[in-house]
């Protein structure tokens, strides 16, 4: 199984059992404020989200990693790669016909904010995409107002490129050219 190792974190492919430790993150309004359409997820919706993460791995061989703190094995979030259709901003598969964008996405549970985990995990995902997948371009889609995520993107070397409409929300697209 593909894993990424950092100083404090292990990033691994998701498993169904991840729904339980991820449920508090997905049900936290402050965490979800800048994710997707901004609404919290129920336990069932969290299970479906983990299943979609697993489906992405099965189809593409990569995706969003479950992010685990090494010192206590706590599941602290999900960080990794998301494939988008830039014409609709809907997720798609890496093998899809037509243009795709590869995003480095990161969501960390609120108890773990402010400790550098998002930057540490997203750096590992960025490096994996550039080195192992040989990506030529990476993006980060950030809902307007999410200054903390913009700071992470900038630390990773991403630059603001343009504003986009992401579903019903305004977002900023940051990009990194390899």
């Amino acid at each position: 199984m593909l894993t990424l190792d950092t100083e404090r974190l292990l990033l691994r492919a998701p498993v169904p059992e991840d729904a339980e430790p991820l449920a508090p993150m997905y049900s936290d309004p402050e965490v979800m404020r800048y994710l997707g359409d901004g609404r919290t997820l129920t336990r069932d919706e969290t299970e479906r989200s983990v299943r979609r993460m697993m489906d992405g791995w099965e189809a593409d061989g990569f995706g969003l990693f479950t992010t685990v703190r090494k010192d206590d094995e706590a599941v602290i979030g999900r960080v990794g790669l998301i494939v988008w259709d830039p014409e609709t901003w809907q997720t798609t598969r890496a093998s899809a016909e037509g243009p795709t964008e590869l995003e480095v996405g990161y969501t960390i549970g609120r108890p773990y904010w402010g400790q550098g985990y998002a930057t540490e995990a997203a750096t590992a995902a960025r490096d994996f995409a550039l080195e192992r997948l040989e990506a030529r371009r990476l993006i980060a889609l950030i809902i307007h107002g999410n200054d903390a995520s913009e700071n992470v993107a900038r630390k990773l070397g991403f630059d603001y490129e343009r504003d986009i409409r992401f579903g019903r929300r305004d977002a900023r697209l940051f990009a990194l050219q390899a």
Side-chain angles (χ1 to χ4, degrees), residues 1-4 10-23 25-26 45-68 75-82 93 105 107 128:
M1 174 171 35
L2 174 65
T3 60
L4 304 180
L10 177 71
L11 284 70
R12 60 163 172 76
V15 295
E17 294 77 20
D18 292 336
E20 183 175 336
L22 287 172
M25 179 183 82
Y26 282 118
E45 290 169 323
T46 297
E47 288 176 7
R48 285 195 293 277
S49 178
V50 170
R51 169 52 50 202
R52 281 191 303 275
M53 288 167 55
M54 293 169 58
D55 291 346
W57 275 88
E58 194 171 308
D60 297 331
F62 63 87
L64 288 167
F65 292 86
T66 298
T67 304
V68 180
V75 172
I76 67 166
R78 49 81 161 167
V79 177
L81 304 171
I82 306 164
R93 299 280 57 102
T107 304
F128 169 77

Side-chain angles (χ1 to χ4, degrees), residues 15-172:
V15 295
E17 294 77 20
D18 292 336
E20 183 175 336
L22 287 172
M25 179 183 82
Y26 282 118
S27 68
D28 184 333
E30 193 59 27
V31 171
M32 298 303 289
R33 185 166 76 160
Y34 297 117
L35 199 64
D37 62 8
R39 66 178 188 81
T40 59
L41 301 186
T42 66
R43 176 59 190 257
D44 286 347
E45 290 169 323
T46 297
E47 288 176 7
R48 285 195 293 277
S49 178
V50 170
R51 169 52 50 202
R52 281 191 303 275
M53 288 167 55
M54 293 169 58
D55 291 346
W57 275 88
E58 194 171 308
D60 297 331
F62 63 87
L64 288 167
F65 292 86
T66 298
T67 304
V68 180
R69 191 166 56 185
K70 288 179 182 176
D71 67 0
D72 60 2
E73 297 185 2
V75 172
I76 67 166
R78 49 81 161 167
V79 177
L81 304 171
I82 306 164
V83 182
W84 295 101
D85 176 337
E87 294 171 2
T88 62
W89 293 114
Q90 298 294 313
T91 57
T92 188
R93 299 280 57 102
S95 60
E97 294 291 318
T100 59
E101 290 273 20
L102 187 59
E103 179 183 20
V104 176
Y106 36 93
T107 304
I108 300 293
R110 191 166 16 158
Y112 310 103
W113 286 2
Q115 299 172 57
Y117 292 129
T119 301
E120 185 175 331
T123 297
R126 176 203 65 194
D127 293 350
F128 169 77
L130 295 173
E131 295 164 13
R132 307 252 295 270
L133 301 180
E134 299 180 346
R136 312 305 303 139
R137 172 181 162 88
L138 298 171
I139 65 166
L141 300 176
I142 301 171
I143 301 297
H144 277 259
N146 191 346
D147 296 336
S149 282
E150 286 192 18
N151 289 339
V152 170
R154 291 182 202 285
K155 287 177 191 172
L156 295 175
F158 288 69
D159 293 312
Y160 170 76
E161 187 175 280
R162 68 184 190 274
D163 284 351
I164 65 161
R165 191 75 178 153
F166 187 71
R168 294 191 198 106
R169 305 178 82 185
D170 292 320
R172 300 180 65 158

